[in-house]
Amino acid sequence: MAYMAMARKWRPMSFSDLVGQDHIAQTFRHAIEGNRLHHAFLFTGTRGVGKTTSARIVARTLNCTGGSTLEPCGKCPSCLDIGTGNPMDVIEIDAASNTGVDDMRTLLEQTRYTPMIGKYKVFVIDEVHMLSKHAFNALLKTLEEPPSHVIFIFATTEANKVPPTILSRVQRFDFKRISNRQIAERLQYICTQESIQADSEGLAIIADKADGSMRDALTYFDQVYAFSGAELSNQAVRQVLGIPPESIFFDMVQAIFSHDQKGCFDIIDQACGLGIELSILLDGMAKFLRNLLYSRVSGLSANALEVTESHFKQLQGLAPDASNGDILRLGKILAETHFQLKTASNPRLLVETSFARMAWLDRVADLKKILQGFDGPGTAETVKKKILRSPAPVSDPPPPPVPTPATILPTLAPLPVAPSPAPTEEFSISFGDEPAPAGPQVSKFELVNQWKTVQKDFCQMEPLAGAYLDGTVLQRGEYNISPFAVKIIFRADNAFNFNQFTKSEFYKATLTDYLETILQTKVLVHIEPLAPSAVDATASPSPLVPRQSAPHASTWERDKSREPILQFLSETFEVTWLDSKSVRRIQRPSQNDQPVDE
Ligand SMILES: [Zn+2]
């Protein structure tokens, strides 16, 4: 006897066999029992969840003349006829290959004839959304007034593509995705019936790989069965389906959180050696991280994650030092890598660099802790010393081609501290998971110190507004508050610039846009003048901020800092200073804003 695939052999024959779609079985039972059967149905849901199978069950149940109302007997003429695979009273067409109006007319022609054996003639149209507009119109007429012996069942994966005129004339059933547990249970049932020895982990892997589709699960099951025979182990399942062993992910997470980049490369090499596809490796890693994260959330059990109890315990004990934020960050990189994989010219290199980048990441978390030190009194200097003392953060392996770690405070002169022989602290700023912004490389941590450079760059774009900002200083906001607050303080003796800059909302908006572009974050700009008495005391609000102008600046320098137009001219036209004379501006309420001699 020819071998019959499991998917065919174990196709459900009645509603009680149907896995995971109890709500549909129940509705049909009630409709049949109460004799309130609609004449047209739409079955919608993802592939492999039992839509066409259900359509056949409906046909079988309605036409069976033996047995009970709800369980087809399998022996009566109708059941036997449907069992032949080419039944007379069930007409199935695939709309994907019969899209035209002529195909539809041929089909509808048959609705005129009464059923040969059973009570109903059942028309099953698979992938109904593929029908042409004219075909739908032809169908519509019959759908409005169908003969009493006709039942239509439409199956589709894309109900949104079915015209509303059709949708309003059918009873719709949404098929659920079948859970991994339900699939595994069905597979276990089949194993028992077929005398196959299978371990539950192996079946769980098949169920997971099937991703909600019973048909896929049975196809995979067949594949493994053909390979391993009646002894179906989880190793065989992994080998046949190319699923990485869980130990790979445990090792990978450990390598990542102990910054072991070589370890990461070795694990990727090992996976490739086992014939595991890179996309499956990334997928598996993403699922593993998701489970790792969920295992830490209280209230979730091994059952909820659909993993074994021992696996769950192992997850809970893994990487105790890693925060949930760290795990989420890894997930983000994985998702990016998965996306880039489709177009990568060298997929393995891409995956290797991504994992190396993850192994690199923890230092970002360390730095955040350090930066909190900036808020504490007296700690800023210590932190600055540490950063300046620390050489390049690279240890053994070469850095991966990811955004280069920016050095902090590049313009500050090294402080007179004794250089430590071997750096014990490893500090660097690597905003590895952010794409490098266009424009100058400035982070929000550096902004206060880099303000002068930023302002000059802004000047290139918006000369006048940029020039008005000359001589201003910054007070930084909290780094972890969004939007990032940037407070720009105008010197008290620079009221003119302040007035000019604040006169137009446009300047502030342009500056905000500019800062958002270079910092790659949402920015809120505050503009403030300083009270005259406060100038000297607070001209440098942070110990890291150099004073913006020396007290004994030349007249020209002073005037330049006061008058943006002079600054602008000197920078644009290479003006040479010969002489300048200070004048006092008289602030009048009127528009007459003329300078007068002192
Ligand atoms: Zn029957």
Side-chain angles (χ1 to χ4, degrees):
M1 192 182 139
Y3 175 73
M4 196 189 256
M6 294 287 181
R8 267 188 70 197
K9 190 171 175 184
W10 291 99
R11 178 170 238 177
M13 294 295 174
S14 68
F15 283 124
S16 55
D17 274 353
L18 196 63
V19 178
Q21 314 297 353
D22 297 341
H23 60 301
I24 289 169
Q26 195 180 337
T27 314
F28 265 101
R29 275 198 199 109
H30 288 163
I32 294 169
E33 278 173 346
N35 211 9
R36 296 186 305 268
L37 201 66
H38 205 264
H39 62 273
F41 303 93
L42 179 79
F43 289 176
T44 170
T46 53
R47 48 185 288 280
V49 290
K51 299 185 295 294
T52 338
T53 302
S54 297
R56 284 181 198 162
I57 292 174
V58 170
R60 204 179 274 269
T61 312
L62 291 178
N63 278 342
C64 180
T65 50
S68 69
T69 354
L70 297 170
E71 289 291 319
C73 66
K75 291 172 196 151
C76 70
S78 166
C79 286
L80 291 174
D81 179 51
I82 293 175
T84 59
N86 195 14
M88 285 184 279
D89 290 341
V90 182
I91 292 108
E92 268 187 52
I93 69 156
D94 180 15
S97 49
N98 300 281
T99 52
V101 67
D102 291 334
D103 300 313
M104 186 48 67
R105 285 202 184 112
T106 315
L107 180 87
L108 295 175
E109 190 73 11
Q110 300 183 56
T111 60
R112 294 196 294 161
Y113 306 109
T114 49
M116 307 282 278
I117 301 166
K119 201 172 156 193
Y120 294 100
K121 224 176 166 86
V122 182
F123 292 83
V124 180
I125 305 182
D126 208 2
E127 299 299 339
V128 71
H129 65 272
M130 303 283 275
L131 287 181
S132 68
K133 194 181 160 197
H134 293 297
F136 270 125
N137 285 339
L139 178 63
L140 203 58
K141 272 187 195 164
T142 316
L143 212 53
E144 273 169 355
E145 289 170 48
S148 61
H149 61 267
V150 167
I151 302 272
F152 282 105
I153 300 177
F154 307 134
T156 179
T157 46
E158 296 178 71
N160 57 322
K161 289 188 182 167
V162 178
T165 45
I166 299 285
L167 287 178
S168 65
R169 288 172 174 84
V170 299
Q171 217 170 57
R172 174 176 168 154
F173 288 91
D174 287 83
F175 281 64
K176 288 184 201 160
R177 184 185 172 280
I178 308 169
S179 77
N180 289 6
R181 193 174 41 78
Q182 285 168 321
I183 293 178
E185 277 170 10
R186 176 73 180 169
L187 293 179
Q188 187 59 63
Y189 171 78
I190 294 171
C191 284
T192 315
Q193 300 298 312
E194 296 270 343
S195 307
I196 297 171
Q197 292 291 322
D199 65 19
S200 56
E201 197 185 335
L203 297 183
I205 296 167
I206 296 179
D208 189 48
K209 168 106 176 155
D211 197 24
S213 163
M214 196 69 216
R215 188 173 56 223
D216 285 0
L218 286 170
T219 307
Y220 295 139
F221 182 74
D222 247 347
Q223 216 174 318
V224 182
Y225 178 52
F227 170 79
S228 68
E231 297 276 325
L232 208 141
S233 66
N234 75 76
Q235 289 89 347
V237 174
R238 287 185 191 282
Q239 199 176 341
V240 174
L241 301 182
I243 310 277
E246 288 291 300
S247 60
I248 279 197
F249 302 126
F250 276 102
D251 293 348
M252 189 61 105
V253 168
Q254 260 154 2
I256 287 172
F257 287 120
S258 48
H259 311 295
D260 180 7
Q261 287 167 335
K262 187 178 175 301
C264 291
F265 292 146
D266 289 346
I267 294 165
I268 295 168
D269 196 49
Q270 186 195 340
C272 289
L274 290 170
I276 294 160
E277 277 178 43
L278 290 170
S279 64
I280 291 179
L281 181 73
L282 293 181
D283 234 20
M285 184 72 186
K287 275 184 190 157
F288 185 83
L289 289 179
R290 167 235 190 215
N291 284 355
L292 177 60
L293 198 62
Y294 280 10
S295 71
R296 295 163 170 227
V297 182
S298 58
L300 276 181
S301 64
N303 213 8
L305 292 184
E306 300 182 328
V307 297
T308 60
E309 202 63 53
S310 66
H311 183 98
F312 188 72
K313 285 226 163 68
Q314 272 180 295
L315 279 177
Q316 283 184 315
L318 186 64
D321 295 337
S323 69
N324 292 354
D326 287 329
I327 298 171
L328 283 173
R329 208 180 293 129
L330 299 188
K332 190 181 166 201
I333 298 181
L334 273 177
E336 280 170 14
T337 313
H338 213 292
F339 181 73
Q340 292 163 349
L341 200 63
K342 291 169 203 151
T343 50
S345 56
N346 189 340
R348 179 156 171 179
L349 186 69
L350 173 77
V351 172
E352 281 180 347
T353 32
S354 294
F355 278 101
R357 192 171 147 198
M358 290 182 218
W360 196 256
L361 263 188
D362 202 15
R363 298 170 193 198
V364 175
D366 289 345
L367 184 75
K368 279 188 179 163
K369 284 182 202 152
I370 298 160
L371 283 168
Q372 284 166 1
F374 276 113
D375 295 333
T379 52
E381 278 303 299
T382 334
V383 173
K384 191 166 68 179
K385 278 178 200 166
K386 278 182 180 176
I387 291 165
L388 290 170
R389 229 192 308 161
S390 168
V394 188
S395 43
D396 29 342
V402 291
T404 349
T407 45
I408 195 166
L409 316 175
T411 53
L412 283 183
L415 293 176
V417 289
S420 61
T424 46
E425 311 92 346
E426 294 178 314
F427 296 118
S428 87
I429 298 182
S430 166
F431 304 98
D433 46 352
E434 302 285 347
Q441 297 283 316
V442 177
S443 75
K444 55 185 175 182
F445 308 107
E446 302 167 286
L447 186 65
V448 169
N449 300 298
Q450 293 287 311
W451 177 238
K452 188 91 182 156
T453 320
V454 171
Q455 181 228 329
K456 282 225 168 86
D457 276 311
F458 177 61
C459 235
Q460 302 273 322
M461 202 178 79
E462 202 54 55
L464 214 52
Y468 289 138
L469 290 173
D470 198 40
T472 54
V473 289
L474 276 202
Q475 245 179 19
R476 65 155 182 83
E478 289 295 320
Y479 293 125
N480 47 6
I481 289 177
S482 183
F484 177 58
V486 174
K487 194 190 269 184
I488 299 171
I489 299 172
F490 281 78
R491 290 169 59 85
D493 55 352
N494 220 345
F496 174 75
N497 281 6
F498 174 78
N499 290 335
Q500 290 301 315
F501 192 86
T502 50
K503 205 158 71 177
S504 160
E505 270 299 310
F506 171 77
Y507 290 153
K508 191 171 154 186
T510 320
L511 179 68
T512 307
D513 279 352
Y514 178 73
L515 290 175
E516 285 184 347
T517 309
I518 62 165
L519 299 174
Q520 291 285 295
T521 187
K522 204 95 190 109
V523 168
L524 194 64
V525 171
H526 302 278
I527 311 286
E528 275 185 27
L530 269 193
S533 56
V535 174
D536 289 335
T538 48
S540 261
S542 148
L544 294 176
V545 179
R547 291 174 71 97
Q548 294 298 307
S549 57
H552 303 296
S554 70
T555 325
W556 170 238
E557 288 301 327
R558 199 186 61 214
D559 288 350
K560 241 185 359 176
S561 76
R562 284 182 183 177
E563 294 297 334
I565 191 69
L566 293 180
Q567 177 79 28
F568 176 59
L569 287 173
S570 76
E571 279 174 12
T572 314
F573 300 110
E574 291 183 13
V575 176
T576 308
W577 175 67
L578 297 173
D579 192 12
S580 71
K581 189 178 176 189
S582 290
V583 291
R584 187 164 56 87
R585 196 181 298 280
I586 295 176
Q587 297 290 342
R588 288 183 185 145
S590 70
Q591 303 291 319
N592 245 346
D593 207 16
Q594 295 296 320
V596 291
D597 277 319
E598 223 167 88

